[in-house]
């Protein structure tokens, strides 16, 4: 209900989106979805969220056992699809998070490890035991930051093709992109990640990619200010664009 009320206030009182000159998207995926709903003359730029943790050494994920689900357990995040596949393959599985689907997931795969939400230090203890992240969201998402954050540890990901997080995975190189809703597709790539040599190579690749492409906070602020200047120039002096 509050989301509906918020939207009504934004549209009627705030004049969104017609009264806004420029928009910032955190992924090309999000930009492409939002663009049809914005005025034709809108300025829209893409700037991914910052990745704060780029200075650590990568893990040796081939020595780790857990396939990780990290986040809220709700219908749109699709934890059940992963739980069923992990159960069928008898994979060591770790669920970090909570939500209205927690009891359903526990019933599907009671042998998995469930931690609830964790503080940073405890979270890091578990992350160091992770082999692969699974991001099964059926929701568009905006970016899917957990994929980038795990890559900064050298942890590769299997990502649903329904969400923006797929932009952060090079299929077959730094991870896998599976067909959302297709459990055979997900199982195929889960099995691929049981290969020590393959998961090791993908861990190294995803780490190098996030080190190259990830944006530290300082750089993010620089890019954001630069975008503001460009937008102001384009709005105030369109003839200079």
């Amino acid at each position: 209900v509050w989301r509906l009320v918020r939207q009504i206030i934004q549209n009627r009182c705030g004049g969104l989106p017609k009264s806004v000159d420029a928009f910032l998207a955190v992924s090309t995926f999000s930009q492409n979805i939002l663009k049809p709903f914005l005025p034709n003359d809108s300025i829209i730029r893409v700037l991914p969220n910052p990745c704060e943790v780029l200075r650590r050494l990568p893990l040796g994920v081939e020595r780790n056992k857990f396939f990780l689900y990290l986040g809220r357990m709700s219908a749109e995040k699709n934890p059940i699809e992963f739980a069923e596949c992990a159960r069928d393959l008898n994979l060591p599985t770790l669920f970090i998070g909570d939500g209205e689907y927690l009891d359903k997931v526990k019933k599907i795969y009671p042998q998995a490890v469930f931690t609830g939400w964790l503080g940073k230090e405890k979270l890091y203890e578990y992350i160091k035991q992770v082999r692969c992240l699974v991001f099964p969201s059926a929701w568009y998402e905006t970016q899917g930051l957990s994929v980038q954050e795990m890559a900064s540890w050298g942890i590769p990901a299997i990502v649903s093709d329904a969400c923006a997080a797929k932009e952060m995975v090079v299929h077959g190189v730094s991870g896998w992109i599976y067909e959302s809703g297709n459990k055979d597709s997900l199982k195929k790539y889960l099995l691929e990640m049981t290969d020590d040599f393959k998961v090791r190579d993908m861990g190294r690749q995803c780490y190098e990619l996030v080190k190259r492409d990830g944006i530290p906070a300082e750089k993010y602020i620089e890019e954001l200010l630069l975008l503001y200047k460009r937008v102001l120039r384009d709005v105030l002096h369109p003839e200079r664009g």
Side-chain angles (χ1 to χ4, degrees), residues 3 69 72-79 100-101 135-141 160 162-163 180:
R3 290 182 180 178
Y69 175 95
R72 190 171 73 252
M73 294 194 204
S74 54
E76 74 278 6
K77 298 293 187 177
N78 206 17
E100 61 268 28
Y101 269 43
F135 195 91
S137 182
W139 198 244
Y140 283 149
E141 304 294 338
S160 154
C163 66
S180 181

Side-chain angles (χ1 to χ4, degrees), residues 30-198:
S30 298
Q31 180 190 39
N32 292 338
I33 290 170
L34 291 169
K35 201 168 185 177
F37 301 98
L38 302 178
N40 292 331
D41 58 349
S42 293
I43 300 166
I44 182 165
R45 300 283 189 268
V46 176
L47 179 62
N49 284 312
C51 183
E52 299 280 4
V53 283
L54 296 173
R55 297 177 179 87
R56 62 171 63 96
L57 294 174
L59 299 173
V61 289
E62 70 277 10
R63 298 189 294 270
N64 295 346
K65 67 177 183 177
F66 282 123
F67 288 77
L68 170 67
Y69 175 95
L70 174 63
R72 190 171 73 252
M73 294 194 204
S74 54
E76 74 278 6
K77 298 293 187 177
N78 206 17
I80 286 179
E81 183 169 83
F82 171 46
E84 290 175 341
C85 291
R87 176 202 61 197
D88 292 349
L89 297 174
N90 196 30
L91 296 176
T93 303
L94 172 64
F95 288 89
I96 298 177
D98 204 344
E100 61 268 28
Y101 269 43
L102 176 60
D103 289 340
K104 293 181 181 181
V105 175
K106 283 184 174 180
K107 187 175 292 186
I108 290 167
Y109 197 15
Q111 292 78 19
V113 176
F114 296 88
T115 69
W117 295 114
L118 298 171
K120 183 180 287 188
E121 289 187 8
K122 197 68 177 176
L123 175 63
Y124 287 177
E125 287 180 21
Y126 277 103
I127 285 174
K128 291 173 183 177
Q129 304 173 58
V130 170
R131 183 181 188 89
C132 170
L133 172 73
V134 181
F135 195 91
S137 182
W139 198 244
Y140 283 149
E141 304 294 338
T142 50
Q143 185 177 354
L145 269 177
S146 60
V147 175
Q148 186 181 52
E149 290 167 353
M150 291 302 104
S152 74
W153 288 87
I155 299 172
I158 302 172
V159 175
S160 154
D161 67 354
C163 66
K166 67 182 182 180
E167 289 187 358
M168 289 180 280
V169 172
V170 180
H171 183 68
V173 176
S174 64
W176 302 102
I177 301 169
Y178 81 95
E179 181 184 352
S180 181
N182 184 340
K183 287 193 283 188
D184 288 337
S185 175
L186 177 53
K187 286 180 183 180
K188 173 185 175 182
Y189 297 126
L190 287 168
L191 286 173
E192 291 280 2
M193 290 303 203
T194 63
D195 183 309
D196 288 344
F197 295 106
K198 193 163 290 184

